[in-house]
Amino acid sequence: YSAMLPGGMHYDGVTLSDVSPSLTKQAVRDAIAAGVGAIVVSGVFAPVSAKQEEEACNVVAEELRALGRSDILITMSSDVAGLGILERENAAVLNAALRP
């Protein structure tokens, strides 16, 4: 399962678009329905400013708690790798898959 949601930053830290809590919560519900065991949040230029990834992770964690699924781990791409979006996404997905 994957979802592309609003949000992200420009390379200079200016907001590209805002995070949508309602769309993020729906994506969490869809991911749960698809049977995921981990969730990765990866934002455009997140290593420049992780603010939106942190916001999205907070929304994801809140929704997981509301669904009684606090067992599902969340990985933020900005915690795992540098600026390259593909490298960060891949590293974050591998990290999430390998976590106990």
Side-chain angles (χ1 to χ4, degrees):
Y1 175 82
S2 68
M4 185 175 290
L5 303 171
M9 308 297 269
H10 287 284
Y11 66 92
D12 59 359
V14 173
T15 301
L16 183 64
S17 63
D18 292 327
V19 170
S20 168
S22 62
L23 290 176
T24 303
K25 288 177 182 182
Q26 183 60 52
V28 170
R29 292 190 295 273
D30 293 345
I32 297 300
V36 302
I39 293 178
V40 172
V41 175
S42 181
V44 177
F45 287 108
V48 172
S49 173
K51 176 183 163 199
Q52 284 193 341
E53 272 194 354
E54 291 166 358
E55 179 184 354
C57 281
N58 288 335
V59 172
V60 169
E62 175 185 311
E63 188 65 11
L64 289 172
R65 280 191 300 276
L67 295 170
R69 293 303 309 266
S70 296
D71 59 309
I72 294 181
L73 300 173
I74 306 166
T75 299
M76 271 192 341
S77 73
S78 58
D79 286 343
V80 179
L83 276 178
I85 185 77
L86 292 176
E87 294 86 352
R88 232 176 344 101
E89 285 177 344
N90 289 334
V93 168
L94 287 172
N95 178 279
L98 296 173
R99 288 172 72 180

